[in-house]
Amino acid sequence: MADNPKINGKTYEYVFNYFSDQILSGKLQLNDKIPTEREVAEKLGVSRNSVREVMHMLEITGLIECMQGSGNYVRCDPMTYMLRSVNMVMALMKIDHSEIFHIRTGYEYAAVRLAIECATPEELDELRQILIKMDQPMSLKESAKLDVEFHHKLVGASHNRLLILYNSMLDNLMDRFIEDFRAKILMNKMRAELLRRSHWGIYNALVEKDLDAAMKSFDKHFRIVEEQLDKMMQKS
């Protein structure tokens, strides 16, 4: 079948826009089975090869999964999809670690405002247990791992899925810039102690639902981290 001569622009863009519209309108949702290439081709008046080309592109980008003998399905691992796209955009824009850090800080400030109201007793207890573990003697790598867990639990307590997604994504991007940057920050005992206090300050503020105290503890925390990140990047 030849592509419809009435189509303006490139055929694959026309087919891609069709799938985009189907997803954005809610007609295609996560885990839905996609019509066959033949059905889509007949509906749009294009060749099956044009549809196949777009389906292959969507599979590569992680938006659909082609299952042999079963069909094609809308699938999406949000973190993988976002990281793949954002990494390329950041490389082209030459985004540096400080810009990532500042936007990540903004997300976490927003998260704690929500967590003040939304955190459950179970989530608060999980944060407390992490801090208790962090107070025990351990390697820098183990301490850094718990630090990551604390901040992820904190953002998770916001119950905002976009904040959770973007915060995790930005953490991954920071790791790309500076390998084991948390462990390196914790190498200085005085700095590690200040961070320990700020973590407990954040937790206590959540328990007391004291937003002002939470913001002050976050200010101390991020000021320490930012100073050390800048020093590390200057050396590198």
Side-chain angles (χ1 to χ4, degrees):
M1 176 181 179
D3 289 334
N4 188 341
K6 295 182 180 180
I7 296 172
N8 294 320
K10 297 178 180 178
T11 304
Y12 77 85
E13 290 180 350
Y14 174 70
V15 178
F16 179 82
N17 288 336
Y18 164 77
F19 281 112
S20 295
D21 290 342
Q22 290 290 295
I23 292 173
L24 292 172
S25 67
K27 293 177 182 177
L28 274 180
Q29 299 186 32
L30 199 61
N31 298 319
D32 279 356
K33 186 174 182 179
I34 298 171
T36 65
E37 291 175 4
R38 180 179 59 80
E39 291 171 325
V40 175
E42 290 180 354
K43 179 172 184 172
L44 300 182
V46 300
S47 68
R48 289 181 63 177
N49 189 55
S50 296
V51 176
R52 188 177 299 115
E53 180 183 357
V54 173
M55 298 278 270
H56 182 60
M57 178 180 66
L58 292 173
E59 183 181 19
I60 291 173
T61 57
L63 275 177
I64 70 170
E65 181 180 4
C66 299
M67 301 180 68
Q68 191 70 30
S70 177
N72 304 317
Y73 296 83
V74 180
R75 300 277 199 250
C76 183
D77 178 347
M79 182 60 70
T80 301
Y81 183 77
M82 292 295 293
L83 278 173
R84 181 181 290 125
S85 303
V86 173
N87 273 332
M88 290 188 289
V89 171
M90 284 181 49
L92 292 172
M93 294 180 65
K94 301 188 184 304
I95 300 294
D96 64 27
H97 79 283
S98 62
E99 292 175 283
I100 299 172
F101 175 75
H102 290 144
I103 194 68
R104 179 191 171 280
T105 301
Y107 281 132
E108 200 152 344
Y109 275 124
V112 78
R113 287 178 180 274
L114 291 172
I116 287 283
E117 301 298 329
C118 302
T120 65
E122 292 76 17
E123 287 169 330
L124 292 174
D125 186 60
E126 287 175 354
L127 287 170
R128 179 174 175 274
Q129 294 305 319
I130 293 171
L131 292 178
I132 290 173
K133 289 180 184 178
M134 290 176 73
D135 284 347
Q136 306 305 310
M138 65 182 67
S139 68
L140 290 175
K141 189 172 183 179
E142 290 173 319
S143 183
K145 185 178 179 180
L146 286 171
D147 182 87
V148 172
E149 187 178 354
F150 176 84
H151 285 275
H152 283 187
K153 289 285 185 183
L154 175 63
V155 176
S158 73
H159 296 263
N160 183 298
R161 290 178 296 171
L162 278 179
L163 280 175
I164 294 167
L165 171 64
Y166 279 104
N167 194 72
S168 296
M169 179 186 69
L170 291 167
D171 268 355
N172 276 276
L173 293 173
M174 283 302 298
D175 287 337
R176 185 170 67 86
F177 271 101
I178 309 172
E179 186 178 359
D180 296 328
F181 78 93
R182 282 184 174 82
K184 291 174 182 175
I185 288 172
L186 293 169
M187 287 177 67
N188 182 287
K189 290 185 178 180
M190 182 178 294
R191 188 165 59 237
E193 174 60 20
L194 290 173
L195 287 175
R196 187 191 74 82
R197 292 179 186 177
S198 67
H199 283 141
W200 275 107
I202 293 166
Y203 164 76
N204 289 328
L206 287 174
V207 172
E208 298 296 328
K209 294 189 178 296
D210 188 337
L211 180 59
D212 184 58
M215 292 295 105
K216 287 179 179 177
S217 292
F218 259 114
D219 285 341
K220 292 177 183 177
H221 178 281
F222 285 125
R223 189 158 50 245
I224 295 166
V225 175
E226 184 175 24
E227 288 173 356
Q228 295 309 311
L229 280 175
D230 288 341
K231 288 179 182 178
M232 289 159 58
M233 292 307 294
Q234 287 170 10
K235 288 180 180 179
S236 63

